[in-house]
Amino acid sequence: MIDEPSSISLQTPGDERGGLPALLREPSALPETLFAFPLRRAVGFPGLVMPVLLDTEEARAIVEKAREQGEHLALILREDPDPKQPLRQVWRRMGVLVRIHKVMSLPDGNKSALCQGIARLKVKEFVEVRPFPIVNVSYPQDKGRPTKTTEALARNVQFLLKAIVEKNPNYGDEFQVAAVNIDQHGAMADFAAAYFVREALDKQKVLEELELTKRLRLANEILTREREILELGDRIQREIHGKIEKAQKEYYLREQMKIIRRELGEEKDRAELERETLEKRIAEAGMPEEVAKRSREELERLSTIPVESAEYSMVRTYLDWLCSLPWSKSSEDRTDVKLAESVLEDDHFGLLEVKERILEFLGVRQLRPGHAGPILCLVGPPGVGKTSLGRSIARATGRKFVRFSLGGMSDEAEIKGHRRTYVGAMPGRILQMLRQAGTNNPVMMLDELDKLGRDFRGDPSSALLEVLDPEQNTAFLDHYLDVPFDLSKVMFVATANVLERIPMPLRDRMEVIEIPGYVTEEKVQIAKRYLVPKQLENHGLTKQQLEMPLPALRSIIDHYTREAGVRGLEKAIARIGRKHALAVARKKGTKKLTLTAADLPKLLGAPTYTEDRERKADRPGVVLGLAWTGYGGDLLFIETVGWKGSGRLSRTGRLGEVMGESVRIAYDYLRAHHESFDLDADAMEKLDLHIHFPAGAVPKDGPSAGITITTAILSLLKGRVIRPSLAMTGELTLVGEVLPVGGIREKVLVARRFGVKTLILPKLNQKDVEELRPELIRGLRFHYVSRYEEVFAHAFSAGKDRPFLPGPKPAGVPAGEPVPRSSPPKKGRREKARRAPAKPPRTRMRT
């Protein structure tokens, strides 16, 4: 078998003059061995003249070989070859014998062979396949004799051919003449299949059918289907023609009315001018059919309302909203991932995980443009760049950017609009932002999603369920418009500070991306690249007038700001810029100021945080814990003191219910396992304990301080100080298991920010640490624990216990310090306690 020529096709049957098909008589002697010519998109039939396009050297070679052997050729349909199928099996076994009349040259440089169909042939075997296919053939005869059934079928074929030719202007009268003059029933079926069957395999079925009755039935089915298609096309054409005639008639009459009124000197009134304007805007708005129908109905209603009526302005405003919304106007998406990556790098420093997720979304959009993608929710402390990330996404994708804040919103109508029955009703903020954007696919930022309110006017978070659900927002229904609007093309990006404040059904519809706070090195680079140039420009200063080197920026970060983001840092830089701008304006600071750490007290005042910012856990009963708030991580000192009493346990620091339970669990665990830690159970029953959590005005709750509280109590009872620069977090159970906690990323960042060197974390939180970038955990040492016995081993260094015993203190022992077992109390002697003044806490927990 030879390879298929690139574009060998059977052209429209017909003679050389492009008209009437030729019916030929079969010769008495037919060759039994022939060259085979492969066809893919057409099938030849006996009795028809057909040109075959020869546009490759291989195709022309086959025809030349056939002409040398007597000008006979076998045209056989060849299917697409299968690599697993033998070459001979891709050829059909039924074809047509043709005689090559002539080979003509075409204007485009190709050639065409004019062939006459002679008879059906059946391939008995392939003599050769390469270089040219040669076959042995036989010539099967039609089966069956003419009967009343075949006569009826033949007449029906002639009737259908006549009807089709009359309805289709593409067929000339010569087709009808040819159909009427076909005597043989089989030839009539071949004629119908050659001209009215489109698929090659369907034509092959007619060619392979030797039973006259079945072949005529196939022809009847083909022609009946074709006639129905033509009748349907005629009906559609008549409907379109009728609509066009009606529109032209209306247009003609309106033009006549305009001319008559112009001749009479009548001017158009305001209502008519507005009607024409609105009618034009409705036609140009690209509305869906349902909305366009509603608009036309309201326009007709507007024409019946007096201009002076209050209802006229209401309907007029409603139509104006319908026409001004971007129903079909979209901005072109830019899915270049490299360009988007460059934009994100230019706008933001760090935030690698967030950038990677945004680029993943754009990568999917590049491969599948219609992909709507998830709804993103950026969660993180204030000042880390959530809102500016939304602007960068819009710039990277080439879309418009709109933003509105949900903070304090408590009216459901702000989202879904007011009904038109109210005076001053308007659509909701969603459609207002779309009108502002001017496109139906902007990046829409829903800012402060966690600060939504709720009162008697409704629940806005419930209204947002429809907006943020991809399965529902394709037909978002605003109460004011009362017609569906497709929001599926809008890219929603929400922001929040505290994820837990977002209702669970709303949270479930979004993909949450957590944005952690920045470490000092990242803040220095952000200030250098973005904040300092921005503030110099805002204050009219140049680099020749004010320079802020990296050491000065680092000193500002360490001594004047303490936050997860960079908003406070930007304020400090702006304050320095104002001070120097005033000096330049007074012409006292015309020289260049190169900022140093020594200049900061004069410009920013006394340092807010000293160099030794963190309090030291340098006495028994004091342990450093890690806390998480909506504004990032925070350090939490836990203090424990004791005195002679009756075994009471008190706690202060505005603790929540869960944290109060953690205190109780820690104390009961130590009492139940006192032997494991070499504690005196009788002494514990005679000792009152007070556990305090500083920053008492700040509410605190959660189970993550369980091991920290236990360690603080144990440190006091054993009289031992924990290892230096150590902090811990983890939930404790009554049986001593350490369970995982949340906010690991924020806790690790705050520990690194304040000089903590060693962290004790639950074993199951190890995966959270491993997901952090190496530069975020550089310099930190981690101990992963699953039981409290491991916490005890890592928290305390080897040494002798100095148990805390209730009773009078011996001389020389400060108040609050444990009493050594070897120094019994001396009766009748009191000594003033020597206590160092307490340092003020470095920060307060924020929630």
Side-chain angles (χ1 to χ4, degrees):
M1 186 187 111
I2 67 168
D3 294 333
E4 178 69 22
S6 60
S7 60
I8 297 178
S9 62
L10 184 64
Q11 298 179 345
T12 304
D15 63 9
E16 297 180 64
R17 298 179 298 278
L20 188 64
L23 302 179
L24 305 175
R25 296 180 180 177
E26 298 182 0
S28 57
L30 299 177
E32 296 182 356
T33 303
L34 296 166
F35 284 97
F37 192 96
L39 299 173
R40 286 185 59 189
R41 292 177 292 275
V43 175
F45 286 92
L48 299 177
V49 175
M50 59 204 75
V52 178
L53 183 64
L54 312 173
D55 62 347
T56 65
E57 291 296 333
E58 194 170 16
R60 289 191 284 270
I62 294 174
V63 173
E64 289 299 326
K65 288 289 184 181
R67 295 185 71 185
E68 292 175 0
Q69 301 296 327
E71 298 186 345
H72 285 93
L73 184 64
L75 297 183
I76 304 174
L77 180 66
R78 194 186 78 173
E79 300 177 6
D80 292 333
D82 187 349
K84 299 180 180 180
Q85 194 174 9
L87 296 177
R88 290 178 171 82
Q89 294 184 11
V90 299
W91 295 75
R92 302 304 289 258
R93 294 300 170 182
M94 190 72 75
V96 63
L97 172 68
V98 298
R99 177 182 291 115
I100 304 171
H101 266 278
K102 65 162 66 172
V103 177
M104 301 174 292
S105 297
L106 301 178
D108 60 358
N110 293 323
K111 292 186 178 182
S112 177
L114 189 64
C115 303
Q116 293 180 345
I118 299 174
R120 282 176 169 79
L121 61 81
K122 185 175 183 181
V123 178
K124 295 174 17 181
E125 64 175 348
F126 277 83
V127 179
E128 291 184 9
V129 177
R130 299 184 185 278
F132 305 108
I134 302 174
V135 294
N136 283 338
V137 300
S138 61
Y139 299 95
Q141 301 298 319
D142 292 343
K143 298 178 182 180
R145 297 179 179 180
T147 61
K148 292 182 179 180
T149 301
T150 58
E151 184 66 27
L153 290 171
R155 289 185 181 182
N156 196 42
V157 169
Q158 283 185 334
F159 172 76
L160 291 172
L161 285 172
K162 180 180 178 182
I164 291 173
V165 170
E166 289 177 352
K167 291 181 178 295
N168 194 338
N170 295 326
Y171 301 110
D173 294 337
E174 62 271 15
F175 284 91
Q176 186 173 354
V177 174
V180 171
N181 288 280
I182 298 175
D183 297 330
Q184 298 178 2
H185 296 167
M188 187 177 299
D190 293 344
F191 181 84
Y195 282 96
F196 300 105
V197 178
R198 293 176 174 82
E199 296 296 331
L201 291 178
D202 293 336
K203 290 184 178 184
Q204 184 68 22
K205 290 180 181 178
V206 178
L207 181 67
E208 293 176 354
E209 186 57 62
L210 299 178
E211 181 67 38
L212 289 178
T213 304
K214 293 182 179 179
R215 195 190 307 171
L216 286 170
R217 288 187 187 279
L218 283 174
N220 269 281
E221 293 176 5
I222 293 167
L223 295 177
T224 301
R225 191 184 311 121
E226 182 68 19
R227 186 181 66 172
E228 289 177 354
I229 294 173
L230 289 174
E231 289 177 351
L232 179 61
D234 287 345
R235 186 163 63 251
I236 294 173
Q237 187 66 24
R238 287 195 300 269
E239 291 178 0
I240 295 175
H241 186 68
K243 291 180 180 180
I244 293 176
E245 282 187 347
K246 181 180 178 182
Q248 288 178 341
K249 181 179 179 181
E250 292 177 354
Y251 176 78
Y252 178 72
L253 293 175
R254 288 194 186 97
E255 290 298 319
Q256 282 187 328
M257 291 175 62
K258 291 179 183 178
I259 295 173
I260 293 172
R261 295 188 64 178
R262 192 180 301 116
E263 291 295 330
L264 293 175
E266 298 178 359
E267 297 293 335
K268 294 181 181 178
D269 57 3
R270 171 191 165 191
E272 185 176 352
L273 287 173
E274 286 191 347
R275 177 185 171 85
E276 291 180 357
T277 302
L278 289 172
E279 191 171 3
K280 182 179 179 182
R281 292 179 64 188
I282 291 173
E284 297 175 350
M287 303 176 181
E289 182 58 33
E290 179 184 353
V291 182
K293 180 181 178 182
R294 179 69 175 274
S295 301
R296 289 190 292 268
E297 291 174 355
E298 292 293 328
L299 187 60
E300 291 295 330
R301 179 164 166 257
L302 183 68
S303 61
T304 63
I305 302 175
V307 180
E308 296 78 12
S309 172
E311 190 177 1
Y312 182 90
S313 61
M314 293 175 59
V315 178
R316 174 68 177 79
T317 304
Y318 177 73
L319 287 172
D320 184 65
W321 270 103
L322 286 177
C323 296
S324 59
L325 287 175
W327 297 96
S328 58
K329 185 178 180 182
S330 303
S331 58
E332 185 177 354
D333 268 357
R334 188 165 55 213
T335 57
D336 189 343
V337 176
K338 291 185 179 180
L339 178 61
E341 186 174 7
S342 175
V343 170
L344 293 174
E345 290 295 335
D346 290 343
D347 292 349
H348 294 85
F349 180 82
L351 304 179
L352 299 181
E353 297 90 344
V354 184
K355 294 177 182 177
E356 184 68 20
R357 182 61 191 87
I358 295 170
L359 293 176
E360 289 173 3
F361 170 77
L362 296 179
V364 174
R365 287 299 298 267
Q366 183 175 353
L367 299 179
R368 186 183 175 190
H371 178 68
I375 295 169
L376 304 181
C377 180
L378 308 178
V379 179
V384 296
K386 299 185 296 295
T387 305
S388 59
L389 262 175
R391 292 192 178 93
S392 298
I393 293 173
R395 194 159 74 93
T397 56
R399 298 188 179 196
K400 297 293 186 65
F401 176 79
V402 289
R403 169 195 169 274
F404 70 95
S405 177
L406 298 172
M409 185 181 294
S410 58
D411 190 355
E412 179 186 349
E414 291 285 338
I415 304 296
K416 302 197 68 174
H418 297 82
R419 302 191 183 278
R420 284 199 291 156
T421 52
Y422 297 100
V423 177
M426 290 185 66
R429 296 291 298 275
I430 300 294
L431 294 186
Q432 291 182 34
M433 293 297 102
L434 285 174
R435 182 184 184 182
Q436 176 183 332
T439 60
N440 61 5
N441 64 337
V443 175
M444 183 175 293
M445 173 157 282
L446 308 178
D447 219 355
E448 310 296 349
L449 184 61
D450 58 330
K451 297 174 181 61
L452 277 172
R454 181 179 181 180
D455 59 14
F456 65 92
R457 290 172 292 182
D459 184 5
S461 63
S462 299
L464 283 174
L465 294 178
E466 180 184 1
V467 176
L468 300 181
D469 191 344
E471 300 297 330
Q472 301 182 44
N473 62 13
T474 54
F476 172 69
L477 191 64
D478 186 273
H479 289 159
Y480 180 80
L481 293 185
D482 203 25
V483 290
F485 191 96
D486 186 5
L487 297 178
S488 62
K489 297 181 180 180
V490 180
M491 184 177 179
F492 290 100
V493 180
T495 69
N497 296 128
V498 183
L499 184 63
E500 286 71 18
R501 294 181 184 174
I502 303 176
M504 182 57 70
L506 194 58
R507 195 190 319 169
D508 184 59
R509 285 164 167 78
M510 301 181 294
E511 179 173 344
V512 177
I513 299 178
E514 295 186 0
I515 303 178
Y518 300 107
V519 295
T520 301
E521 291 78 5
E522 292 177 327
K523 290 183 179 181
V524 170
Q525 292 299 323
I526 292 172
K528 175 186 175 182
R529 299 185 186 186
Y530 307 105
L531 303 183
V532 172
K534 176 183 175 182
Q535 294 304 325
L536 289 179
E537 181 181 357
N538 290 346
H539 294 87
L541 299 172
T542 63
K543 294 181 179 179
Q544 287 71 31
Q545 294 173 315
L546 177 60
E547 182 181 359
M548 297 187 184
L550 297 184
L553 294 174
R554 189 173 288 106
S555 182
I556 295 174
I557 295 169
D558 290 339
H559 298 97
Y560 292 91
T561 64
R562 183 181 174 226
E563 55 182 347
V566 292
R567 194 166 290 162
L569 176 60
E570 184 175 11
K571 292 178 181 177
I573 295 173
R575 185 176 179 184
I576 294 173
R578 291 195 301 271
K579 294 280 188 181
H580 190 63
L582 178 61
V584 172
R586 289 175 174 172
K587 297 184 179 180
K588 293 182 179 180
T590 54
K591 295 182 180 180
K592 179 179 179 179
L593 172 62
T594 301
L595 195 66
T596 63
D599 299 323
L600 296 181
K602 294 183 294 184
L603 298 172
L604 298 177
T608 308
Y609 307 102
T610 60
E611 190 66 31
D612 185 18
R613 291 174 298 179
E614 64 275 1
R615 297 168 55 195
K616 302 294 184 182
D618 56 357
R619 63 182 60 205
V622 180
V623 179
L624 180 60
L626 298 172
W628 177 88
T629 71
Y631 303 96
D634 203 354
L635 297 180
L636 177 65
F637 281 88
I638 298 179
E639 303 172 346
T640 307
V641 296
W643 60 89
K644 183 179 180 180
S646 58
R648 290 184 305 171
L649 178 67
S650 57
R651 52 186 182 266
T652 54
R654 201 175 177 186
L655 308 184
E657 181 178 355
V658 176
M659 204 166 200
E661 293 175 353
S662 297
V663 174
R664 187 76 250 178
I665 290 172
Y667 185 67
D668 291 346
Y669 168 76
L670 291 177
R671 293 191 63 178
H673 299 80
H674 64 277
E675 294 180 354
S676 301
F677 302 103
D678 194 21
L679 298 176
D680 188 346
D682 296 333
M684 291 179 67
E685 293 179 357
K686 300 176 183 179
L687 182 68
D688 287 351
L689 294 180
H690 183 176
I691 302 175
H692 177 63
F693 298 79
V698 180
K700 308 170 189 68
D701 204 359
S704 63
I707 64 173
T708 314
I709 299 170
T710 307
T711 306
I713 299 174
L714 191 58
S715 172
L716 177 72
L717 295 178
K718 296 183 74 66
R720 293 171 61 180
V721 181
I722 65 170
R723 297 179 188 270
S725 298
L726 172 71
M728 63 186 71
T729 181
E731 180 181 354
L732 181 69
T733 68
L734 276 175
V735 296
E737 294 182 354
V738 180
L739 302 183
V741 295
I744 292 297
R745 179 184 303 184
E746 288 78 8
K747 293 177 181 179
V748 170
L749 288 179
V750 74
R752 187 171 185 271
R753 189 182 304 140
F754 294 114
V756 176
K757 301 299 182 183
T758 307
L759 294 178
I760 299 178
L761 303 177
K763 179 71 174 178
L764 295 178
N765 285 122
Q766 183 174 356
K767 62 181 186 305
D768 300 320
V769 177
E770 292 174 350
E771 291 177 357
L772 299 178
R773 301 196 310 273
E775 58 267 24
L776 297 182
I777 59 177
R778 187 178 296 120
L780 294 177
R781 183 181 180 187
F782 295 92
H783 297 297
Y784 302 105
V785 297
S786 57
R787 295 196 56 81
Y788 184 76
E789 289 82 354
E790 302 173 48
V791 178
F792 177 76
H794 293 303
F796 296 96
S797 57
K800 187 176 180 180
D801 293 350
R802 301 176 62 202
F804 184 92
L805 296 177
K809 292 188 177 298
V813 178
E817 295 289 348
V819 180
R821 190 180 295 272
S822 58
S823 302
K826 299 181 179 180
K827 296 182 179 181
R829 183 176 180 180
R830 295 181 180 179
E831 187 172 352
K832 200 171 184 178
R834 299 192 302 270
R835 294 189 63 181
K839 297 181 181 180
R842 184 170 55 89
T843 185
R844 299 171 65 87
M845 279 187 59
R846 297 181 296 275
T847 57

